[in-house]
Amino acid sequence: MTDPSVQTDSPADALTIKLPAGFDVLAADEALSAGITEALDQVEEQLLEALTTDDELTNTSARYLAEAGGKRIRPLLTILTAQLFDGVNAEVRQAAAVMEMIHLATLYHDDVMDSAPLRRGTPSAHEVWGNSVAILTGDLILSRASRMMAELSQEGARVQSHTFERLVMGQLHETVGPQGSEDAYKHYLSVIADKTGSLVAAAARLGAHFGGAEGAQTQLLHDYGEAVGIAFQLADDIIDLAADGEASGKTPGTDLREGVPTLPVLLLRGAAAQGDDAARDALTLVDGDLSSDEALAEAVSAVVAHPVTERAWEVARSWSARAKEAIADLPDSTVKQALNSFADAVVDREG
């Protein structure tokens, strides 16, 4: 699954890392940004150490995707939400490393299921070592993540295990699709919440928890993270259709060609069912043979031209607004400003 952030150069020298869009405001606070940089550097060291083994094959495969890079948005959220309370400590850093480990493990599994040839610009693990090694490597990373979280607290282990359950259920439900009379739109939102929202929510929640927050406060950050994750994935699905291929580096309509149900198409089907002739015409193209680039481009153009695409953006923005609403009662701070800005940024991007 895709990562909820956009790379951007930091506007100040105080930060030596690249921040996701929306977090630029942190650079204005030199002490805060220096602390964030130090904490993330320590998390990175702990992450690579946790993925290291004595066995040559597993050592190489387990560190493979971590060393390929990544935006580290989940560890960043864990570090930041701790800063809203008592600050970063050893427990926060370990929880941040665990969040990234779980994310990495899902990438190994997802790439096998999707037959994805590339990940982060390099051949996917299953392309290098085969499906079995890739799957088992993901399992190994998850087992180490579970052990590290169990070392921290019972509450942390509970959150982590519940999150992993949601990740699996989300993938399962996406694979089998809506069942019986289940509403396709509700099914789609449920899958997004489980596959993307749950881990972002856990990252935000655990930073607050290990940073000294009260129970109700950790729930606020959980709700923020879940809504941000959902907003991001909704926007990502729209961008799959509407983005400029040259600017985003993506081929518009990949989900259409693969038959993946996304929000614009679900809304299009709803409009067609209500008698919208333009929606019916667009669906004829969407449900046709999209193997040629010309047919795909025609179908993409038809969907993008229909009002359902703008309605889809409105839904994505509503989840961004919900994220900001979740933390509205927290005291004003640079970190809160950054969290709000990030919630806007995930639905204000081109790729």
Side-chain angles (χ1 to χ4, degrees):
M1 76 194 60
T2 47
D3 202 17
S5 62
V6 182
Q7 292 285 74
T8 182
D9 290 329
S10 171
D13 292 337
L15 282 168
T16 59
I17 59 171
K18 280 192 170 183
L19 289 175
F23 287 123
D24 310 38
V25 65
L26 296 169
D29 186 328
E30 292 188 8
L32 176 62
S33 61
I36 292 169
T37 297
E38 180 180 7
L40 287 174
D41 285 345
Q42 293 171 336
V43 169
E44 193 71 12
E45 292 177 6
Q46 189 166 7
L47 171 67
L48 293 175
E49 181 180 352
L51 297 175
T52 299
T53 72
D54 292 332
D55 180 83
E56 182 177 354
L57 172 61
T58 55
N59 183 63
T60 304
S61 63
R63 293 168 61 104
Y64 183 68
L65 287 185
E67 292 177 338
K71 305 176 187 74
R72 307 296 194 250
I73 184 61
R74 293 158 190 81
L76 176 57
L77 279 176
T78 303
I79 296 299
L80 285 177
T81 56
Q83 296 280 11
L84 291 168
F85 304 100
D86 296 338
V88 178
N89 52 41
E91 289 78 14
V92 171
R93 291 192 296 271
Q94 184 155 321
V98 168
M99 292 297 96
E100 186 64 14
M101 289 172 71
I102 296 174
H103 174 57
L104 287 170
T106 66
L107 299 184
Y108 283 86
H109 291 165
D110 285 354
D111 286 346
V112 170
M113 295 192 68
D114 298 340
S115 299
L118 297 174
R119 171 65 67 177
R120 295 175 176 172
T122 62
S124 299
H126 70 91
E127 292 284 337
V128 179
W129 294 285
N131 287 349
S132 295
V133 170
I135 292 170
L136 291 170
T137 299
D139 292 345
L140 174 65
I141 295 172
L142 285 169
S143 67
R144 292 201 166 187
S146 299
R147 184 183 67 189
M148 289 171 64
M149 189 60 78
E151 293 171 356
L152 294 177
S153 75
Q154 183 176 359
E155 172 62 11
R158 185 193 68 80
V159 171
Q160 189 246 4
S161 60
H162 179 61
T163 301
F164 184 49
E165 178 182 350
R166 289 188 63 190
L167 289 167
V168 173
M169 293 300 291
Q171 184 63 65
L172 177 63
H173 289 152
E174 181 180 60
T175 301
V176 301
Q179 298 295 292
S181 61
E182 184 180 5
D183 182 81
Y185 179 70
K186 291 181 179 179
H187 176 272
Y188 168 73
L189 285 180
S190 175
V191 166
I192 286 178
D194 286 342
K195 283 193 63 179
T196 304
S198 65
L199 189 53
V200 181
R205 182 184 195 118
L206 290 174
H209 170 70
F210 290 113
E214 301 292 335
Q217 294 170 319
T218 62
Q219 185 63 46
L220 295 180
L221 273 304
H222 177 280
D223 294 345
Y224 166 86
E226 179 126 351
V228 162
I230 292 172
F232 170 82
Q233 191 59 54
L234 289 171
D236 214 48
D237 288 348
I238 304 166
I239 288 169
D240 178 75
L241 287 170
D244 181 324
E246 293 184 5
S248 68
K250 302 177 181 179
T251 300
T254 300
D255 287 337
L256 282 188
R257 175 171 277 168
E258 295 177 353
V260 177
T262 57
L263 184 56
V265 174
L266 290 172
L267 293 177
L268 193 68
R269 294 192 186 283
Q274 294 174 9
D276 185 323
D277 290 338
R280 289 174 177 169
D281 291 342
L283 275 179
T284 299
L285 298 173
V286 169
D287 294 335
D289 181 359
L290 301 180
S291 57
S292 74
D293 291 343
E294 293 77 10
L296 179 62
E298 186 178 7
V300 167
S301 296
V303 178
V304 172
H306 195 279
V308 294
T309 297
E310 180 52 39
R311 287 192 353 234
W313 277 119
E314 291 171 0
V315 173
R317 295 185 192 106
S318 74
W319 281 97
S320 172
R322 190 177 300 194
K324 293 187 291 183
E325 183 180 350
I327 59 173
D329 291 338
L330 292 177
D332 288 336
S333 66
T334 302
V335 171
K336 180 182 175 181
Q337 291 174 29
L339 293 175
N340 281 329
S341 181
F342 178 59
D344 289 330
V346 298
V347 293
D348 185 20
R349 58 194 173 96
E350 295 182 352

mmCIF file of all heavy atoms in Angstrom, residues 2 39 57 72 98 113 210-211 218 228 240 242 252 259-260 302 324 335:
data_model
loop_
_atom_site.group_PDB
_atom_site.id
_atom_site.type_symbol
_atom_site.label_atom_id
_atom_site.label_comp_id
_atom_site.label_asym_id
_atom_site.label_seq_id
_atom_site.Cartn_x
_atom_site.Cartn_y
_atom_site.Cartn_z
ATOM 1 N N THR A 2 0.369 2.359 -0.478
ATOM 2 C CA THR A 2 1.156 3.547 -0.615
ATOM 3 C C THR A 2 1.325 4.262 0.693
ATOM 4 O O THR A 2 0.539 4.140 1.607
ATOM 5 C CB THR A 2 0.498 4.475 -1.614
ATOM 6 O OG1 THR A 2 -0.855 4.555 -1.299
ATOM 7 C CG2 THR A 2 0.675 3.970 -3.019
ATOM 8 N N ALA A 39 15.942 12.340 17.321
ATOM 9 C CA ALA A 39 15.106 11.180 17.643
ATOM 10 C C ALA A 39 14.933 10.268 16.439
ATOM 11 O O ALA A 39 15.015 9.035 16.554
ATOM 12 C CB ALA A 39 13.748 11.649 18.153
ATOM 13 N N LEU A 57 21.222 -14.700 4.532
ATOM 14 C CA LEU A 57 20.061 -14.488 3.674
ATOM 15 C C LEU A 57 19.013 -13.614 4.373
ATOM 16 O O LEU A 57 18.546 -12.621 3.802
ATOM 17 C CB LEU A 57 19.433 -15.823 3.280
ATOM 18 C CG LEU A 57 18.092 -15.718 2.528
ATOM 19 C CD1 LEU A 57 18.257 -14.951 1.225
ATOM 20 C CD2 LEU A 57 17.517 -17.106 2.269
ATOM 21 N N ARG A 72 9.263 7.417 6.225
ATOM 22 C CA ARG A 72 9.234 7.228 7.677
ATOM 23 C C ARG A 72 8.144 8.071 8.335
ATOM 24 O O ARG A 72 8.331 8.610 9.419
ATOM 25 C CB ARG A 72 10.599 7.538 8.304
ATOM 26 C CG ARG A 72 11.779 6.792 7.697
ATOM 27 C CD ARG A 72 11.677 5.288 7.911
ATOM 28 N NE ARG A 72 12.929 4.610 7.633
ATOM 29 C CZ ARG A 72 13.145 3.809 6.592
ATOM 30 N NH1 ARG A 72 12.172 3.605 5.707
ATOM 31 N NH2 ARG A 72 14.301 3.213 6.431
ATOM 32 N N VAL A 98 9.031 0.169 15.897
ATOM 33 C CA VAL A 98 8.080 -0.919 15.689
ATOM 34 C C VAL A 98 7.043 -0.545 14.634
ATOM 35 O O VAL A 98 6.685 -1.365 13.782
ATOM 36 C CB VAL A 98 7.391 -1.290 17.019
ATOM 37 C CG1 VAL A 98 6.199 -2.218 16.758
ATOM 38 C CG2 VAL A 98 8.377 -1.959 17.961
ATOM 39 N N MET A 113 1.313 -10.189 -3.141
ATOM 40 C CA MET A 113 -0.098 -10.307 -3.530
ATOM 41 C C MET A 113 -0.400 -9.520 -4.805
ATOM 42 O O MET A 113 -1.213 -9.928 -5.629
ATOM 43 C CB MET A 113 -0.999 -9.830 -2.393
ATOM 44 C CG MET A 113 -0.906 -10.686 -1.144
ATOM 45 S SD MET A 113 -2.210 -10.328 0.046
ATOM 46 C CE MET A 113 -3.647 -10.931 -0.826
ATOM 47 N N PHE A 210 3.151 6.610 25.063
ATOM 48 C CA PHE A 210 4.468 6.509 25.693
ATOM 49 C C PHE A 210 5.062 7.879 26.005
ATOM 50 O O PHE A 210 6.041 7.977 26.745
ATOM 51 C CB PHE A 210 5.410 5.696 24.803
ATOM 52 C CG PHE A 210 5.059 4.237 24.757
ATOM 53 C CD1 PHE A 210 4.604 3.654 23.581
ATOM 54 C CD2 PHE A 210 5.170 3.443 25.879
ATOM 55 C CE1 PHE A 210 4.265 2.308 23.524
ATOM 56 C CE2 PHE A 210 4.835 2.091 25.843
ATOM 57 C CZ PHE A 210 4.380 1.525 24.661
ATOM 58 N N GLY A 211 4.453 8.933 25.453
ATOM 59 C CA GLY A 211 4.872 10.293 25.771
ATOM 60 C C GLY A 211 4.172 10.871 26.977
ATOM 61 O O GLY A 211 4.373 12.048 27.298
ATOM 62 N N THR A 218 -4.944 10.015 24.209
ATOM 63 C CA THR A 218 -4.422 9.060 23.228
ATOM 64 C C THR A 218 -5.497 8.723 22.192
ATOM 65 O O THR A 218 -5.186 8.514 21.021
ATOM 66 C CB THR A 218 -3.926 7.762 23.900
ATOM 67 O OG1 THR A 218 -5.015 7.119 24.563
ATOM 68 C CG2 THR A 218 -2.824 8.055 24.908
ATOM 69 N N VAL A 228 -6.540 10.842 8.952
ATOM 70 C CA VAL A 228 -5.487 11.241 8.014
ATOM 71 C C VAL A 228 -5.164 10.102 7.053
ATOM 72 O O VAL A 228 -5.012 10.307 5.841
ATOM 73 C CB VAL A 228 -4.218 11.679 8.772
ATOM 74 C CG1 VAL A 228 -3.002 11.669 7.850
ATOM 75 C CG2 VAL A 228 -4.392 13.081 9.339
ATOM 76 N N ASP A 240 -4.779 8.534 -8.887
ATOM 77 C CA ASP A 240 -4.525 7.468 -9.856
ATOM 78 C C ASP A 240 -5.221 7.753 -11.180
ATOM 79 O O ASP A 240 -4.744 7.353 -12.243
ATOM 80 C CB ASP A 240 -5.011 6.128 -9.294
ATOM 81 C CG ASP A 240 -4.817 4.984 -10.286
ATOM 82 O OD1 ASP A 240 -3.664 4.546 -10.451
ATOM 83 O OD2 ASP A 240 -5.811 4.558 -10.916
ATOM 84 N N ALA A 242 -6.641 11.186 -11.885
ATOM 85 C CA ALA A 242 -6.632 12.591 -12.279
ATOM 86 C C ALA A 242 -5.246 13.202 -12.413
ATOM 87 O O ALA A 242 -5.108 14.318 -12.927
ATOM 88 C CB ALA A 242 -7.443 13.408 -11.270
ATOM 89 N N PRO A 252 -1.803 7.256 -15.304
ATOM 90 C CA PRO A 252 -3.199 7.432 -14.898
ATOM 91 C C PRO A 252 -4.045 6.232 -15.279
ATOM 92 O O PRO A 252 -3.937 5.702 -16.380
ATOM 93 C CB PRO A 252 -3.635 8.691 -15.663
ATOM 94 C CG PRO A 252 -2.360 9.426 -15.951
ATOM 95 C CD PRO A 252 -1.337 8.359 -16.172
ATOM 96 N N GLY A 259 -8.887 -3.314 -12.429
ATOM 97 C CA GLY A 259 -10.206 -3.626 -11.900
ATOM 98 C C GLY A 259 -10.362 -3.366 -10.420
ATOM 99 O O GLY A 259 -11.241 -3.937 -9.761
ATOM 100 N N VAL A 260 -9.509 -2.488 -9.870
ATOM 101 C CA VAL A 260 -9.590 -2.159 -8.445
ATOM 102 C C VAL A 260 -10.701 -1.129 -8.233
ATOM 103 O O VAL A 260 -10.671 -0.058 -8.841
ATOM 104 C CB VAL A 260 -8.249 -1.582 -7.942
ATOM 105 C CG1 VAL A 260 -8.365 -1.172 -6.470
ATOM 106 C CG2 VAL A 260 -7.125 -2.598 -8.131
ATOM 107 N N ALA A 302 -13.127 9.995 -19.384
ATOM 108 C CA ALA A 302 -14.566 9.996 -19.140
ATOM 109 C C ALA A 302 -14.891 10.094 -17.653
ATOM 110 O O ALA A 302 -15.815 10.817 -17.253
ATOM 111 C CB ALA A 302 -15.197 8.740 -19.736
ATOM 112 N N LYS A 324 -8.486 17.072 11.603
ATOM 113 C CA LYS A 324 -8.200 18.317 12.319
ATOM 114 C C LYS A 324 -9.182 18.530 13.471
ATOM 115 O O LYS A 324 -8.807 19.018 14.540
ATOM 116 C CB LYS A 324 -8.236 19.494 11.350
ATOM 117 C CG LYS A 324 -7.116 19.464 10.326
ATOM 118 C CD LYS A 324 -7.059 20.712 9.486
ATOM 119 C CE LYS A 324 -8.231 20.821 8.547
ATOM 120 N NZ LYS A 324 -8.129 22.012 7.671
ATOM 121 N N VAL A 335 3.702 21.723 17.058
ATOM 122 C CA VAL A 335 3.404 20.360 16.636
ATOM 123 C C VAL A 335 1.955 20.245 16.179
ATOM 124 O O VAL A 335 1.656 19.638 15.148
ATOM 125 C CB VAL A 335 3.698 19.357 17.771
ATOM 126 C CG1 VAL A 335 3.181 17.970 17.402
ATOM 127 C CG2 VAL A 335 5.195 19.299 18.050
#
